[in-house]
């Protein structure tokens, strides 16, 4: 994530959860991920790493279905918002750990503690590198300048047999630009993701059983005219889910 993205998301963290489009997209991504996995009797044994978790909307929705979830974001404002939710008296979720990091190394010490087990370094010994059963991200890829290094990091974070599931809106042509208002284009590296490009990148990173398919469609209000700052009509945006397995 670029510094422009970090600045923007730090500034927007407090109001992030009040955006109806953000809430709807997170809910639809949650459903799309779970419907492509076995039932809870299986997923309850799995450890998840979420990259680009934001305020934890998807993290907290997914957590009850899994053994643990490590939620990572480079914007400290977003992580602070998630941590506040986890610290709230009425929060019953105990298997999520929020981590502020620009994750570039699968062996990063910050993702080693196990949220479900409460593990930590003991007797002065560091925790061993941790690997996960599932890596997810949602509406993150279009903010990343170079996708291959990030996808390779995701690959490195997985156990053999682990899966990746990445959701983002599709680049279906020039009109995909209208997903963001013109005032929020800083830090947007691409107007959605492309099916063939994502398939090629996942294969290049080492994934097998690669599939990129439509996950859901979402209606979103767009500017009446580019740069007007006034929302009027809605446009239907297709979202892709990009999947692969580590051999």
């Amino acid at each position: 994530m670029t510094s422009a993205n970090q600045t923007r998301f730090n500034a927007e963290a407090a109001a992030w959860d009040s955006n109806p489009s953000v809430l709807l997209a997170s809910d639809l991504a949650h459903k799309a991920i779970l419907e492509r996995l076995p039932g809870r009797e299986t997923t309850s044994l799995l450890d998840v790493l979420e990259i680009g978790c934001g305020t934890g909307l998807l993290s907290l929705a997914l957590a009850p279905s899994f053994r643990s979830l490590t939620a990572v974001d480079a914007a400290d404002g977003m992580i602070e918002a998630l941590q506040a939710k986890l610290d709230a008296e009425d929060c019953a979720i105990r298997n999520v750990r929020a981590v502020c990091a620009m994750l570039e190394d699968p062996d990063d010490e910050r993702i080693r503690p196990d949220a479900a087990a409460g593990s930590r370094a003991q007797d002065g010994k560091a925790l061993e590198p941790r690997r996960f059963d599932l890596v997810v991200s949602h509406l993150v890829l279009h903010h990343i300048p170079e996708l291959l290094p990030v996808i390779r990091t995701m690959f490195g974070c997985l156990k053999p047999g682990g899966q990746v599931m990445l959701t983002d809106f599709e680049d279906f042509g020039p009109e995909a630009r209208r997903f963001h208002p013109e005032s929020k284009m800083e830090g947007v590296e691409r107007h959605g993701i492309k099916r063939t490009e994502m398939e090629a990148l996942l294969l290049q990173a080492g994934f097998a059983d690669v599939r990129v398919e439509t996950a859901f469609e979402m209606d979103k209000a767009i500017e009446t005219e580019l740069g007007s700052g006034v929302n009027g009509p809605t446009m239907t945006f297709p979202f892709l889910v990009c999947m692969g397995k580590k051999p």
Side-chain angles (χ1 to χ4, degrees):
M1 183 181 289
T2 64
S3 58
N5 280 314
Q6 288 177 275
T7 300
R8 173 191 163 189
F9 290 122
N10 281 332
E12 295 186 7
W16 193 251
D17 292 2
S18 64
N19 185 324
S21 294
V22 169
L23 294 170
L24 178 58
S26 295
D27 181 55
L28 292 171
H30 170 226
K31 293 174 182 176
I33 290 169
L34 289 188
E35 70 186 15
R36 288 169 172 79
L37 291 169
R40 193 176 184 281
E41 66 278 2
T42 299
T43 62
S44 63
L45 304 175
L46 305 181
D47 296 312
V48 180
L49 173 66
E50 182 183 1
I51 295 179
C53 65
T55 63
L57 289 170
L58 180 59
S59 319
L60 298 180
L62 286 173
S65 298
F66 295 92
R67 179 186 172 277
S68 76
L69 191 147
T70 299
V72 178
D73 201 286
D76 53 4
M78 290 291 188
I79 289 296
E80 287 169 6
L82 171 54
Q83 192 61 55
K85 295 177 187 179
L86 295 172
D87 292 340
E89 290 185 7
D90 60 349
C91 182
I93 294 175
R94 296 288 181 267
N95 65 337
V96 173
R97 183 167 178 270
V99 178
C100 186
M102 179 77 77
L103 190 61
E104 298 175 314
D105 180 3
D107 293 341
D108 193 312
E109 294 181 358
R110 292 170 291 184
I111 63 170
R112 295 183 185 185
D114 181 348
S119 63
R120 58 181 61 86
Q122 295 179 352
D123 300 325
K125 296 180 180 179
L127 294 171
E128 293 296 317
R130 188 145 180 256
R131 298 295 181 258
F132 298 84
D133 301 289
L134 176 66
V135 172
V136 300
S137 79
H138 172 59
L139 282 173
V140 172
L141 300 177
H142 70 272
H143 288 292
I144 298 173
E146 293 186 57
L147 289 173
L148 185 57
V150 173
I151 294 172
R152 281 179 168 155
T153 297
M154 294 175 178
F155 184 88
C157 288
L158 285 167
K159 301 173 184 175
Q163 299 181 73
V164 67
M165 286 193 179
L166 317 174
T167 54
D168 211 325
F169 72 103
E170 183 176 9
D171 178 356
F172 55 89
E175 287 295 286
R177 179 185 180 91
R178 304 197 71 175
F179 187 86
H180 295 95
E182 291 296 306
S183 63
K184 294 187 177 180
M185 286 298 178
E186 187 176 12
V188 174
E189 298 292 337
R190 57 186 59 76
H191 303 298
I193 56 174
K194 297 180 178 180
R195 293 172 185 258
T196 53
E197 180 184 13
M198 289 307 303
E199 288 173 355
L201 287 169
L202 288 166
L203 289 168
Q204 191 175 350
F207 284 100
D209 301 333
V210 170
R211 287 188 296 146
V212 178
E213 61 191 33
T214 300
F216 55 88
E217 293 184 338
M218 187 184 84
D219 291 338
K220 186 178 188 292
I222 61 171
E223 291 181 307
T224 53
E225 296 181 10
L226 291 180
S228 69
V230 177
N231 282 339
T234 61
M235 180 181 288
T236 299
F237 291 90
F239 276 65
L240 300 178
V241 56
C242 310
M243 298 169 284
K245 182 177 288 187
K246 183 173 183 176

